[in-house]
Amino acid sequence: MTTPTPHPAPTVPLNDGNAMPKLGLGTYGLRGEAGTASMVTAIESGYRLLDTALNYENEREVGEAVRRSPVAREELFVTTKLPGRHHGYDETLASFEESRENLGLDYIDLYLIHWPLPRQGKYVESWQAMIALREAGRVRSIGVSNFTEEHLSRLASETGVTPAVNQVELHPRFPQPKLRAFHEAHGIVTQSWSPLAKGNSVTGERAVTAAAEAHGVTPTQVVLRWHVQLGAVPIPKSGDADRQRENLDVFGFELTDAEVRAISALESGRLWDGDPESHEEY
Ligand SMILES: NC(=O)c1ccc[n+]([C@@H]2O[C@H](COP(=O)([O-])OP(=O)(O)OC[C@H]3O[C@@H](n4cnc5c(N)ncnc54)[C@H](OP(=O)(O)O)[C@@H]3O)[C@@H](O)[C@H]2O)c1
């Protein structure tokens, strides 16, 4: 099914004065020439936010897509992430430079600590380096990924700088109401990874299909709209042009509160054992 080309997503303000699109493209697994081509297609369809990481091994493809696309660099929002093996102050500065060179960009819009690795105990040092990178203008906004309330509080109390974004596992199987409320109270924007609960289909659930029928949209659009109405920024990955357009086209309808509640009630837990207290990813 081909859906009409939607407009770019509206933006959400960040706590540092910048703004971020309310929906972006996940790029994990998009690699090589086909990966670059599918990212260019996404930008042509209205995507402005591309989410990558040093560990996705596709920063070169993301940078190439930015250069090949017809959209000006300033209108695009590129996120990348610091891997666990590079935690530490100097290591973070060096890792950032590696990512920036891979991307071939002068600046990065959003730089995230990929995982906290609390047993290593170095995420505060990395955060101090990220603050320095922001002050030097190498990165516009800084944030984290997979941080708990405790990790977030520690960053704020030890450095005085609260992350602009926390990118966490979030989908109808794992709606994280407590963490989202904490983010809201502290001016942190929630970003949702695996927003479609990859591999654990929620799109066949009655709560989702009933809303899709009621609004004349697809079940996937219902799930992505649910994120938007929770105030979270989903970054669905698709390498397919039609599905990319479908996924971005979620700003023209509104779910009822009852529909949002019914979808949140599909909670069953994390997709895999990605507990930030114990998961170690280098
Ligand atoms: N910070 C972290 O620790 C972390 C962890 C995991 C992921 N992420 C980020 O989050 C992004 C998204 O998460 P994800 O890739 O794990 O999962 P996801 O976006 O929830 O799901 C992606 C899967 O859904 C399919 N899909 C997408 N749109 C669809 C549609 N309209 N209809 C049917 N199927 C559709 C895709 O296939 P097709 O490509 O064939 O359409 C792909 O198999 C990643 O790419 C990455 O950027 C971050």
Side-chain angles (χ1 to χ4, degrees), residues 25-30 50-53 56 81 112-115 145-146 167-169 171 192-199 203 218 220-221 224 235-240 242-244 246-247 271-272 281:
L25 183 76
T27 71
Y28 182 72
L30 297 178
L50 300 178
D51 180 84
T52 182
Y56 298 174
K81 313 187 192 85
L112 305 177
I113 300 178
H114 207 147
W115 286 87
S145 178
N146 301 301
Q167 183 184 114
V168 295
E169 177 175 356
H171 42 73
S192 312
W193 62 253
S194 296
L196 302 174
K198 170 185 186 172
T203 47
T218 69
T220 302
Q221 288 173 322
L224 293 170
I235 46 168
K237 175 263 167 184
S238 181
D240 176 83
D242 284 343
R243 288 192 287 279
Q244 288 170 350
E246 173 188 346
N247 295 350
L271 290 180
W272 46 277
E281 194 173 298

Side-chain angles (χ1 to χ4, degrees), residues 199-234:
N200 189 1
S201 179
V202 291
T203 47
E205 293 281 0
R206 189 63 197 141
V208 175
T209 57
E213 282 159 28
H215 296 279
V217 297
T218 69
T220 302
Q221 288 173 322
V222 166
V223 172
L224 293 170
R225 181 69 204 179
W226 170 85
H227 286 272
V228 171
Q229 288 186 222
L230 293 182
V233 172

Side-chain angles (χ1 to χ4, degrees), residues 19 55 152 166 188-189 192 221-222 229:
N55 274 354
L152 292 165
N166 189 16
I188 300 167
V189 172
S192 312
Q221 288 173 322
V222 166
Q229 288 186 222

Side-chain angles (χ1 to χ4, degrees), residues 11 23 30 43 48 56 69 128 139 153 184 204 208 230-231 235 253-254 280:
T11 59
L23 187 147
L30 297 178
I43 296 169
R48 296 294 176 262
Y56 298 174
S69 92
Q128 280 158 338
V139 51
S153 299
E184 205 176 322
V208 175
L230 293 182
I235 46 168
F253 69 100
E254 187 150 350
E280 302 209 318

